[in-house]
Amino acid sequence: MHHCLLIDEVLNNIFSWLGGATLCSLARTYRTFQEPAAAIIWQQLIGFWPILRLLPGETATSIADSPEPDPESGNQVRAVVTRPLTLEEWLMVKRLSQRVRDIHVFVTQKPHCYSLTPGSLSLLLHPPGGESLESLFPNVQHLTFRCQGLPPLEAVRWQDRVLTLLRILIRPQLSTLVLLLDGRFCASLNASGILTSCPNVRTLHTSAAFFETQEGARVSVVPTISSLKSLQTVKVHDVSWDLMASLAQIKTLRRLFVDSHEPLGSPLPLTNGAFAGLRYLNTHIASLRLLLRFYRWVPLSELRGLNILTTDFTRDDYLGDLEELLTFIPLHGPFLETIHVNLGFAPPRQPKQWLLTKSILAPYLSLHNLKVLDITLASRSYSPQLTDDDLAHMAQSWPLLKELHLKTYTCGWVLPTGLSLGGLVALIQHCPGIEGISLVFNAMEIPGAVYQPDGNLVQNTKIRSLQVGNSPISSPENVATYLRLLMPGLLTVSTCNTMDSTHKMHWKAVSALLA
């Protein structure tokens, strides 16, 4: 054996690229490989099943979906703990748990693959011989904990055990926390103060939860995160305005993901310096009205990236709301570099024609660091009012642009389009780093070659695919020749699903000629 393979750091680096089956084989092959391979095998633990299956049958009973479980076919083995662990079994669990750095825990009423039932949890939390629960999982850095769907009476019965397990797993060194709990557990967690023991968490994923009081009232509750002062990335579902106000005061927060049908409660006034460190914001708020309310509330002045998804248009004047949203973004986010706006219309509320006018796009021209602009509409009514000169002006304003997508999911634009292949040439000429384009243009006429001031042909070798929507075309051979000259690296051209069959056939021919 080469002497380099006797160095733990070298082995750890090599083994980190290998799969579980290969690592298990290596651990059995050479004694030198056993310890470093085992360390990586047990570094991540998805559920308690990998440990429970090592316990004897009288302690952990296996339940299979079929007589011959096969992970490839979806038949999975579940394990249920049937008695307290002996000292020997406990020491084995303790030894393996010390290797774990990333653990996913799922507590469910009935046994599922990877999940732990409350009854099994209760038996596991009875250490024998004076052993301490604090000795379990002392090195966990990434924790995913999900306990949802228990009936109310069961939740009350087992909440102390669930909180005990959380108290074991939530440690000062924890850097990633995914916490998805039912309402009663969440309320008890807040009262316990357990989250104060992990002040160094950098990434948090959580959600609001609900439960019914004895009086039948439905109460919402979110984890109290005021002690988490080092958060950098947060993802929240069914968010409350109170939680958002708490996040606004965290100076280290850089990335925020919000997924909510309707923020709970009423917005609170923000103080100076709110969201001062926020650089990336991703929102999925279904209602356009609530989305506008949210963006009027949250400051965008320091953002570099923005991703918006909204699908529920219930007001009669929603076209005005759309224009307000699209013009609001560049006026209040002067440093934005990437913008993704996805707008979905649900039938029958699709407008006959929605114009993406120059007045809407004009404020974007001031975003000179813009790298990605994506305005996608789920509608047959998309009608950007752009000419080749407009596109050239946009390209000159965005010299760093890498992607430009003005498209629908399946339907293309309302024709005729004011763009031609000449506009595509201008975009490539003024945005030399562009790699992705989705536009509808008139390809019926082929312009002449265009040259740079230094005499070189205008070309882009980075673009591999081009989305043309329902662009009209008459001569696939000439278009393929021109596109190959303009974009030598172009391999595929994709169209929308609903375009004219003749044009679709012509674009397929272009793709075949480029391949």
Side-chain angles (χ1 to χ4, degrees):
M1 183 185 297
H2 196 281
H3 67 275
C4 287
L5 296 179
L6 300 177
I7 303 173
D8 287 345
E9 290 80 3
V10 173
L11 286 180
N12 288 335
N13 191 306
I14 295 172
F15 288 176
S16 66
W17 295 91
L18 303 178
T22 303
L23 288 170
C24 289
S25 298
L26 287 170
R28 298 189 191 102
T29 303
Y30 295 105
R31 184 174 298 176
T32 305
F33 294 166
Q34 184 174 2
E35 181 60 28
I40 294 178
I41 290 170
W42 290 99
Q43 186 168 298
Q44 183 183 57
L45 192 64
I46 307 297
F48 276 77
W49 161 245
I51 289 181
L52 296 183
R53 70 187 181 90
L54 299 178
L55 298 174
E58 59 268 23
T59 301
T61 301
S62 296
I63 304 174
D65 288 338
S66 71
E68 296 182 359
D70 178 11
E72 296 298 326
S73 64
N75 298 324
Q76 301 288 348
V77 176
R78 302 119 180 226
V80 177
V81 181
T82 55
R83 72 173 190 186
L85 274 61
T86 65
L87 180 59
E88 183 180 357
E89 293 163 356
W90 172 267
L91 293 176
M92 184 269 293
V93 172
K94 173 182 172 181
R95 176 173 53 82
L96 293 176
S97 75
Q98 291 173 348
R99 298 180 183 274
V100 177
R101 301 294 186 272
D102 181 353
I103 185 170
H104 297 238
V105 179
F106 311 98
V107 180
T108 58
Q109 184 182 17
K110 295 181 180 180
H112 295 286
C113 184
Y114 304 124
S115 75
L116 195 64
T117 64
S120 296
L121 173 59
S122 181
L123 291 171
L124 283 173
L125 295 180
H126 275 90
E131 289 287 326
S132 171
L133 290 173
E134 295 298 321
S135 62
L136 292 179
F137 302 102
N139 301 309
V140 169
Q141 298 174 5
H142 309 281
L143 170 62
T144 296
F145 196 102
R146 182 190 295 268
C147 183
Q148 296 173 309
L150 292 182
L153 292 178
E154 289 292 302
V156 172
R157 179 184 176 189
W158 298 110
Q159 69 178 14
D160 288 343
R161 289 300 178 188
V162 170
L163 291 180
T164 298
L165 183 56
L166 271 172
R167 188 174 284 106
I168 294 170
L169 296 172
I170 293 180
R171 305 285 184 122
Q173 75 274 8
L174 202 67
S175 63
T176 301
L177 177 59
V178 179
L179 195 60
L180 302 173
L181 302 175
D182 278 339
R184 289 189 181 278
F185 293 120
C186 195
S188 301
L189 176 71
N190 290 342
S192 70
I194 291 175
L195 290 181
T196 61
S197 62
C198 59
N200 299 314
V201 168
R202 302 288 190 271
T203 301
L204 174 68
H205 177 187
T206 190
S207 70
F210 303 87
F211 69 95
E212 288 190 3
T213 64
Q214 293 181 346
E215 294 75 23
R218 193 165 185 258
V219 178
S220 66
V221 60
V222 296
T224 302
I225 63 167
S226 55
S227 62
L228 308 181
K229 300 296 187 181
S230 301
L231 286 174
Q232 296 178 358
T233 301
V234 174
K235 184 175 183 179
V236 288
H237 295 273
D238 297 321
V239 65
S240 71
W241 289 107
D242 288 343
L243 180 60
M244 290 300 303
S246 296
L247 291 171
Q249 304 309 313
I250 300 177
K251 304 302 182 184
T252 57
L253 186 62
R254 295 292 181 267
R255 298 170 63 84
L256 177 60
F257 300 78
V258 177
D259 189 338
S260 181
H261 291 287
E262 181 172 358
L264 304 170
S266 300
L268 303 175
L270 292 177
T271 59
N272 291 335
F275 293 109
L278 192 63
R279 296 296 180 267
Y280 178 80
L281 178 59
N282 184 314
T283 59
H284 178 190
I285 299 176
S287 166
L288 178 59
R289 177 181 59 84
L290 290 171
L291 183 73
L292 274 170
R293 187 183 188 188
F294 179 86
Y295 275 97
R296 294 189 192 109
W297 179 78
V298 65
L300 309 181
S301 57
E302 298 298 328
L303 285 184
R304 302 301 188 270
L306 181 63
N307 194 320
I308 294 175
L309 173 62
T310 185
T311 53
D312 180 18
F313 300 84
T314 55
R315 288 172 42 157
D316 291 335
D317 59 345
Y318 60 94
L319 290 179
D321 289 343
L322 278 179
E323 294 187 11
E324 180 182 350
L325 173 66
L326 289 173
T327 53
F328 185 90
I329 292 169
L331 292 176
H332 293 81
F335 300 114
L336 282 168
E337 297 176 1
T338 63
I339 302 173
H340 296 268
V341 182
N342 289 272
L343 308 168
F345 287 100
R349 297 189 61 81
Q350 294 190 13
K352 294 181 179 179
Q353 188 171 6
W354 181 68
L355 302 179
L356 181 61
T357 61
K358 286 185 285 187
S359 62
I360 296 175
L361 289 172
Y364 290 83
L365 300 180
S366 63
L367 305 180
H368 298 304
N369 293 321
L370 192 64
K371 296 178 181 178
V372 177
L373 179 61
D374 177 359
I375 302 177
T376 300
L377 202 66
S379 172
R380 299 174 181 272
S381 60
Y382 201 13
S383 182
Q385 288 189 328
L386 296 175
T387 65
D388 289 347
D389 290 339
D390 297 329
L391 190 58
H393 189 196
M394 292 162 63
Q396 290 169 353
S397 301
W398 305 326
L400 303 179
L401 194 68
K402 291 183 177 296
E403 296 182 32
L404 178 61
H405 305 287
L406 303 178
K407 66 182 190 298
T408 67
Y409 293 115
T410 59
C411 306
W413 294 4
V414 176
L415 296 176
T417 172
L419 297 179
S420 71
L421 280 168
L424 197 63
V425 174
L427 181 62
I428 288 174
Q429 180 179 13
H430 299 295
C431 303
I434 197 162
E435 299 174 0
I437 300 174
S438 301
L439 292 172
V440 174
F441 51 86
N442 189 338
M444 305 290 282
E445 297 182 3
I446 309 299
V450 178
Y451 294 87
Q452 300 281 12
D454 59 6
N456 291 321
L457 194 66
V458 171
Q459 282 188 329
N460 181 297
T461 59
K462 299 178 181 179
I463 298 175
R464 296 291 181 265
S465 63
L466 178 68
Q467 167 59 257
V468 300
N470 57 337
S471 297
I473 179 176
S474 60
S475 175
E477 294 82 6
N478 292 338
V479 170
T481 300
Y482 190 80
L483 291 180
R484 187 182 293 112
L485 185 68
L486 184 63
M487 296 171 277
L490 184 63
L491 299 175
T492 60
V493 176
S494 56
T495 62
C496 65
N497 296 336
T498 58
M499 76 180 305
D500 177 87
S501 59
T502 301
H503 291 162
K504 193 176 188 70
M505 180 180 64
H506 286 339
W507 281 115
K508 283 186 177 180
V510 171
S511 285
L513 292 168
L514 292 172

